[in-house]
Every structure is written in structure tokens, then in C-alpha cells.
């Protein structure tokens, strides 16, 4: 398949940029924001016309940088997380609401910029919003004791049982890996090679679900290792952490998801160390487990160890080729947090000769972590272009390799998006829009690695 290339940009003032590309550096080439759609300001295209438990509109456009996937050409898929819960209204339910998880189809208009500023301009447009549901029944919370009603979303029908961000939508008789729980905190999204299905990872289970791209209907769930799950569930994350001795930390489950270029393997990464690993202390407190899954049979195949460098967690992973990946490691500082960003780094890792740590305890697994090299210091790249540290989004979570562009030669593109927690307006302290940053790099920046894009059987949605 011949990849689509954007037009050539020619500007005399950009010779320095061209030189750094030739020297193998990764540079910011465009940035854009998305704050509205044809439905209005901060409104998505879900068509939902009611308010959630906290008064927020059910069609609120926000948080859509939790996950980002290239859909080929100028189309990207952006993933919203569990909904607007950053403002306190019901601590007994972690302030969550029955927001329906969804993904957005975006058209990214990336055009050469002949004037001052970055080499390209970027104008994102929301094309479609797709809600996620199960055709079979899901478990919803009653809301008893939380001061709210049922956690079942209002649009539910017998054949459309929508997933929800409500933290009490679980079965108390099952562990957190029960695939019929309605609660779903979507964080990573990837596209199948035929373009017809999407894979989404989450933090509640953690889960990996497969959905039909056109309708949003769940097709199947993948079986993840039991040691990732917690056995005692609660509508409050702090209670889940306090009452479990193993499994994922609440709200820090499978944050990132990649798919290999051949479309055969999913690669999920936990945001932080499992409870049982962190309890061992030492390097195990910084141990993140990477799980690979065979798409054909839905079974986990391997586990690898990743050690944090200076970040507090990992937000995303994306495939560079069949065995090498880019990992988004960050802190929680920056725009939206009221502070200055300190750590936003992209590392390159290689799983080709990595040790399988499936049956290893935390300390032993940490001693066999994958090697990593710094690919991009995001803060340095953004501040170099005049974006101050307090204006760099705290939660840069969406990461995707996109189409090559022509800029005095062919360069690859890396796209970053933020999760703004649905807080577009920071109460007079500035704005925090959905933002997208595009970086360009040549083969020289890969340190000998080869970029192999996922080759789709069809670029259009089927």
C-alpha cells in the first residue's frame, strides 16, 4: 500500500528545521485544538440530549486524548475516558457519572504553512462519535447509598446495553476482570488491519475489548492474566487499593495499548506497578507489566517488564515495528494541574530478546526489565517552540504514528493528544482545550530501527 503524503512545504526560514531533521532530531511541526463540532461548542456528535448525574451534558466533548489511533489517510480515532468526574459531587462514587464511553472519528487537516510559525498548520474536525455497547446484558449499580439513581445509561434498550464510567457498575461476586461489568474506563485504542474493528483497553478491569468500528458493538473480550485483577471491588478507588493485596491499582490499569504492524498481536501496558509488585519495594515499585495478546484466539501470550525512569506512570505505547515500541512516560504536572510540566518523555523499547516475566515476582521481574532509550523529550521540544511549561498539558496520553509528510523529503509523523479531564475552562485560570501536537522525524532519529507502519487491507471504514 502506498502511504498518503501531504504536500511539500517550501520556506526559506525553515532551513534550521531541515538541518535538524537530517541530523536525526524529532521536531514539532504542527499543533491544533478541537473545542467544537457541527453540534456546537464543547458538543460531540453522539446526539445525546440529557444531563448526567452531576449536571454535565451527556454529549460533552472532552477528554478525547486518552487514546489516539491513526485510521489512515487524514483520519484518526480519538478516545474519551470515563467521563467528567474531576469536579466533586459524590465522593462515594469517585464523582463518576453514567457517561457512555465513546470514540471520535477525526479528520486532521494538516497543511503546509508558508508563513511564520511551525512548518504545518493543523485543523482537526470531528466527523463522527460512536458509543460503545454490548448486545447482551451488563451489570449496573443501583446507586443505593451513593445518593444517585441506577448506573444504567438513559439510552439503554434490551439490545443496546451501553458501557458506563460509573464506578459502581460491577458485580460484587466477581473479581475486577468480569467482562460483563458495565463500568469501563477506556484508555488505549488501536485499529485492526482491515479497518473494521477497534481494540480498547481500560483501567477498571483491566480489560481489552474488541468492538465493531461502525456500530460500537462489543464483539468479544480478551482474557488477561488473573494477577492483574483485584478481588475486592468498591465504587471508591481508595477502598479498592486499601482492601486488596494484589492486582492493578485503582485508576491505574491498562493505560496503553499497541498493535503490531501485521495486526496479529496486541501489546498492553499497565500505568503503574501492580499492588503485589510495589509491595516488594526497591525497583519493583517502578515495575510496569507489558502483556501481549494473540488477536486470533484472544489469549495472553507473554509478559515483559518496563521500569519507569523519572515519570510517575506510562500513558501509552505504540508500535514502531513488529518488536520495537514507543512508550509515553510522564508525570501529572502541567496545564490542568495548575503547575509546570516536568516529565513528558517518549522512550523506545525492544521486546525481541526481552525476558518473559509472567511467572516472576516483582523484584525478579524488575531485574529483567526491557532496555530503553530516549526518543523524544516532549517538554524540551515544546518549550523550544515557545510553549511554556505551565501551558504544556498535564495529561499527554494519546500517542500514534501517523502518515508520512513531504517536507524537503519524506519525514514520519508522531502525534500526541491530551486528556483534559473534560475541563475546557479552568475557572478563570485559562483554557485547557483538547490539543494535538505533531512531531516530524527522519529515519536518522530511529537509531538504526526501521519504522514499519500497519498496512491496512482497506483505508475506509467498512
Amino acid at each position: 500500500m502506498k502511504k498518503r503524503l501531504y504536500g511539500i512545504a517550501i520556506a526559506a526560514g525553515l532551513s534550521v528545521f531541515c538541518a535538524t531533521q537530517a541530523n536525526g532530531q524529532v521536531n514539532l511541526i504542527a499543533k491544533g485544538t478541537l473545542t467544537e463540532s457541527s453540534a456546537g461548542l464543547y458538543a460531540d456528535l453522539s446526539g445525546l440530549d440529557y444531563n448526567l448525574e452531576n449536571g454535565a451534558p451527556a454529549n460533552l466533548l472532552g477528554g478525547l486524548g486518552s487514546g489516539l489511533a491513526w485510521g489512515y489517510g487524514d483520519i484518526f480515532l480519538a478516545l474519551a475516558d470515563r467521563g467528567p468526574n474531576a469536579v466533586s459531587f459524590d465522593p462515594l462514587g469517585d464523582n463518576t457519572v453514567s457517561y457512555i464511553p465513546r470514540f471520535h472519528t477525526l479528520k486532521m487537516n494538516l497543511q503546509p504553512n508558508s508563513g511564520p510559525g511551525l512548518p504545518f498548520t493543523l485543523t482537526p474536525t470531528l466527523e463522527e462519535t460512536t458509543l460503545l455497547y454490548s448486545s447482551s446484558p451488563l451489570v449496573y449499580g443501583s446507586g443505593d447509598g451513593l445518593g444517585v439513581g441506577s448506573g444504567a445509561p438513559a439510552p439503554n434498550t434490551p439490545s443496546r446495553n451501553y458501557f458506563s464510567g460509573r464506578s459502581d457498575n460491577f458485580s460484587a461476586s466477581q473479581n475486577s476482570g468480569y467482562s460483563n461489568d458495565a463500568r469501563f474506563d477506556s484508555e488505549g485504542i488501536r485499529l485492526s488491519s482491515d479497518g473494521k474493528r477497534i481494540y480498547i483497553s481500560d483501567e477498571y478491569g483491566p480489560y481489552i475489548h474488541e468492538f465493531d468500528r461502525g456500530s460500537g458493538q462489543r464483539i468479544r473480550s480478551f482474557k488477561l492474566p488473573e494477577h492483574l485483577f483485584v478481588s475486592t471491588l468498591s465504587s471508591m478507588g481508595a477502598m479498592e487499593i486499601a482492601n486488596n493485596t494484589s492486582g492493578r491499582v485503582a485508576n491505574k490499569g491498562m493505560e496503553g495499548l499497541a498493535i503490531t504492524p501485521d495486526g496479529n498481536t496486541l501489546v498492553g501496558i499497565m500505568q503503574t506497578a501492580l499492588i503485589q509488585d510495589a509491595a516488594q519495594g526497591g525497583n519493583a515499585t517502578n515495575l510496569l507489566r507489558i502483556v501481549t495478546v494473540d488477536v486470533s484466539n484472544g489469549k495472553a501470550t507473554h509478559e515483559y517488564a518496563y521500569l519507569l525512569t523519572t515519570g510517575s506512570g506510562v500513558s501509552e505505547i505504540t508500535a514502531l515495528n513488529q518488536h520495537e515500541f514507543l512508550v509515553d512516560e510522564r508525570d501529572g504536572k502541567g496545564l490542568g494541574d495548575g503547575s509546570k510540566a516536568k516529565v513528558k518523555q517518549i522512550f523506545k523499547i525492544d521486546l525481541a530478546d526481552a525476558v518473559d516475566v509472567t511467572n516472576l515476582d516483582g523484584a525478579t521481574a524488575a531485574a529483567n526489565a526491557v532496555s530503553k532509550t530516549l526518543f523524544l523529550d516532549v517538554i524540551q521540544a515544546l518549550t523550544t517552540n515557545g510553549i511554556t511549561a505551565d501551558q504544556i498539558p498535564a495529561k499527554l496520553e494519546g500517542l500514534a504514528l501517523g502518515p508520512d509528510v513531504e517536507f524537503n523529503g519524506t519525514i514520519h509523523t508522531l502525534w500526541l493528544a491530551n486528556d483534559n479531564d473534560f475541563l475546557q475552562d479552568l475557572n478563570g485560570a485559562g483554557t485547557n482545550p483538547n490539543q494535538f501536537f505533531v512531531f516530524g522525524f527522519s529515519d536518522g532519529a530511529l537509531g538504526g530501527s526501521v519504522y514499519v507502519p500497519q498496512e491496512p487491507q482497506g483505508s475506509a471504514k467498512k
Side-chain angles (χ1 to χ4, degrees):
M1 172 187 166
K2 185 177 180 180
K3 292 179 289 182
R4 173 175 176 172
L5 301 178
Y6 289 100
I8 298 175
I10 300 175
L14 297 172
S15 58
V16 174
F17 176 87
C18 298
T20 55
Q21 287 294 323
N23 292 332
Q25 293 185 19
V26 186
N27 294 277
L28 182 69
I29 64 171
K31 60 185 180 72
T33 61
L34 180 62
T35 57
E36 62 184 341
S37 72
S38 59
L41 183 66
Y42 302 142
D44 66 24
L45 299 179
S46 63
L48 301 177
D49 59 358
Y50 59 93
N51 288 338
L52 300 167
E53 295 92 324
N54 61 358
N59 68 338
L60 183 61
L61 180 66
L64 51 82
S66 288
L68 188 68
W70 179 32
Y72 310 107
D74 57 4
I75 298 299
F76 282 74
L77 306 180
L79 188 69
D81 62 9
R82 65 178 177 174
N85 70 310
V87 177
S88 180
F89 87 102
D90 183 14
L92 295 177
D94 274 355
N95 303 308
T96 57
V97 291
S98 52
Y99 176 88
I100 300 173
R102 63 203 68 183
F103 70 92
H104 305 287
T105 301
L106 308 180
K107 183 175 183 179
M108 297 291 200
N109 187 13
L110 186 67
Q111 294 293 330
N113 180 20
S114 58
L118 297 172
F120 290 81
T121 61
L122 175 64
T123 307
T125 303
L126 180 58
E127 299 279 298
E128 187 176 3
T129 297
T130 306
L131 304 177
L132 304 177
Y133 73 94
S134 168
S135 59
S136 57
L138 297 173
V139 178
Y140 299 100
S142 65
D144 293 344
L146 303 182
V148 290
S150 167
N156 272 12
T157 68
S159 61
R160 283 183 178 252
N161 302 276
Y162 290 100
F163 291 92
S164 166
R166 269 272 292 267
S167 62
D168 63 322
N169 287 340
F170 62 83
S171 171
S173 64
Q174 304 285 339
N175 69 18
S176 67
Y178 184 52
S179 62
N180 287 328
D181 283 345
R183 67 178 188 174
F184 193 48
D185 186 358
S186 46
E187 293 292 349
I189 182 171
R190 295 300 166 201
L191 184 66
S192 64
S193 290
D194 63 6
K196 298 179 181 179
R197 292 156 291 138
I198 59 171
Y199 308 100
I200 298 179
S201 64
D202 111 305
E203 295 195 308
Y204 274 130
Y207 309 109
I208 298 178
H209 294 322
E210 180 182 57
F211 295 90
D212 177 78
R213 181 182 175 187
S215 66
Q217 179 180 343
R218 182 173 67 177
I219 299 171
R220 59 174 170 160
S221 292
F222 296 90
K223 182 61 177 175
L224 296 179
E226 289 291 324
H227 60 260
L228 301 182
F229 306 136
V230 295
S231 58
T232 302
L233 278 60
S234 172
S235 61
M236 294 181 286
M239 293 295 291
E240 281 195 350
I241 296 171
N243 293 323
N244 287 281
T245 57
S246 65
R248 54 93 180 122
V249 173
N251 303 324
K252 299 182 186 295
M254 190 163 280
E255 183 80 9
L257 187 66
I259 188 168
T260 52
D262 61 9
N264 294 334
T265 304
L266 292 168
V267 183
I269 187 168
M270 305 299 288
Q271 182 176 354
T272 61
L274 301 179
I275 295 172
Q276 65 270 33
D277 290 338
Q280 290 191 262
N283 284 338
T285 60
N286 292 318
L287 166 66
L288 279 56
R289 292 186 181 256
I290 297 172
V291 181
T292 60
V293 177
D294 186 325
V295 171
S296 65
N297 60 28
K299 296 181 180 180
T301 53
H302 301 287
E303 233 173 83
Y304 303 104
Y306 177 96
L307 284 185
L308 293 171
T309 301
T310 55
S312 57
V314 158
S315 285
E316 193 56 278
I317 182 171
T318 193
L320 188 59
N321 51 52
Q322 283 295 119
H323 57 91
E324 291 180 294
F325 301 84
L326 298 179
V327 175
D328 173 18
E329 184 175 325
R330 66 171 181 85
D331 61 5
K333 303 295 184 181
L335 181 63
D337 182 62
S339 60
K340 294 182 178 180
K342 294 182 178 179
V343 181
K344 320 285 179 193
Q345 295 177 315
I346 311 296
F347 289 95
K348 183 179 70 169
I349 65 170
D350 190 350
L351 301 184
D353 298 313
V355 175
D356 190 323
V357 300
T358 301
N359 297 314
L360 300 182
D361 63 75
T364 308
N368 290 278
V370 298
S371 59
K372 52 193 285 194
T373 56
L374 182 64
F375 177 74
L376 171 64
D377 187 319
V378 177
I379 293 178
Q380 182 181 49
L382 295 182
T383 54
T384 297
N385 285 278
I387 303 173
T388 58
D390 62 336
Q391 292 301 303
I392 296 174
K395 301 176 73 172
L396 284 172
E397 297 188 359
L399 180 70
L401 288 156
D404 287 349
V405 298
E406 281 294 325
F407 186 77
N408 292 346
T410 301
I411 60 173
H412 310 302
T413 60
L414 180 69
W415 300 61
L416 266 172
N418 71 313
D419 170 10
N420 67 355
D421 282 334
F422 295 84
L423 295 176
Q424 290 87 350
D425 184 350
L426 297 175
N427 297 320
T431 58
N432 184 28
N434 301 297
Q435 298 190 66
F436 302 89
F437 302 91
V438 187
F439 297 88
F441 64 96
S442 66
D443 288 333
L446 295 175
S449 300
V450 177
Y451 171 41
V452 180
Q454 186 182 13
E455 297 288 357
Q457 296 177 16
S459 59
K461 184 173 69 174
K462 305 295 183 181

